[in-house]
Amino acid sequence: MGSPRAKLALEALGRDVRGARLRRGIAVADLAIRAGTSASSVTRLERGDPGVGIGTLADVLVALGMVERLTDLIDIRKDDLGLALTAERQPRRGRSFTAKPRKRGEQGAKASVDPDSVDPDGATF
């Protein structure tokens, strides 16, 4: 893992997993059995080892009753930068180039209608 920020984030995640486990009074071996993994994987996860798979993290969170937190990691509805970039790329609404000739064509057609061929209700003959 190259990024120091990512390493720090994984270590914080590991501390939080360990804290949640200890608050529940669950031993590492018991959590490993409940999560369907090994005790060494749980220990590595709690240390912030980047080699622990995300599936193992998900299984541990299920065993701790916290799996909904995994879906909240990247909530695109709260992604301010992503939302701003998407809004910036949206097409601008307004007159298009093709609207001008169409409008001119409609005006020319109205001008060429003989006023004698229009009845009072607006229907042409």
Side-chain angles (χ1 to χ4, degrees):
M1 166 119 57
S3 171
R5 291 180 70 186
K7 183 178 180 183
L8 291 173
L10 287 175
E11 288 171 355
L13 175 68
R15 283 191 304 274
D16 291 345
V17 169
R18 178 179 164 81
R21 176 181 63 78
L22 292 174
R23 281 192 202 122
R24 287 163 177 73
I26 303 172
V28 171
D30 292 336
L31 180 59
I33 291 170
R34 292 179 190 182
T37 190
S38 66
S40 65
S41 291
V42 173
T43 302
R44 288 176 43 222
L45 175 65
E46 289 181 354
R47 288 185 185 153
D49 183 347
V52 177
I54 194 166
T56 302
L57 172 63
D59 291 336
V60 167
L61 290 177
V62 167
L64 292 172
M66 301 175 72
V67 74
E68 71 280 349
R69 300 297 256 330
L70 186 60
T71 59
D72 291 338
L73 282 177
I74 300 179
D75 186 353
I76 61 172
R77 295 168 296 190
K78 298 176 185 174
D79 179 14
D80 294 334
L81 176 60
L83 291 170
L85 291 171
T86 299
E88 188 176 288
R89 283 186 237 126
Q90 292 293 322
R92 303 280 190 250
R93 300 289 183 219
R95 291 184 170 217
S96 68
F97 179 74
T98 58
K100 291 179 183 178
R102 189 178 316 136
K103 199 159 200 151
R104 284 187 200 132
E106 290 172 3
Q107 289 173 351
K110 286 181 181 177
S112 66
V113 174
D114 183 18
D116 293 332
S117 64
V118 178
D119 76 359
D121 294 328
T124 59
F125 296 99

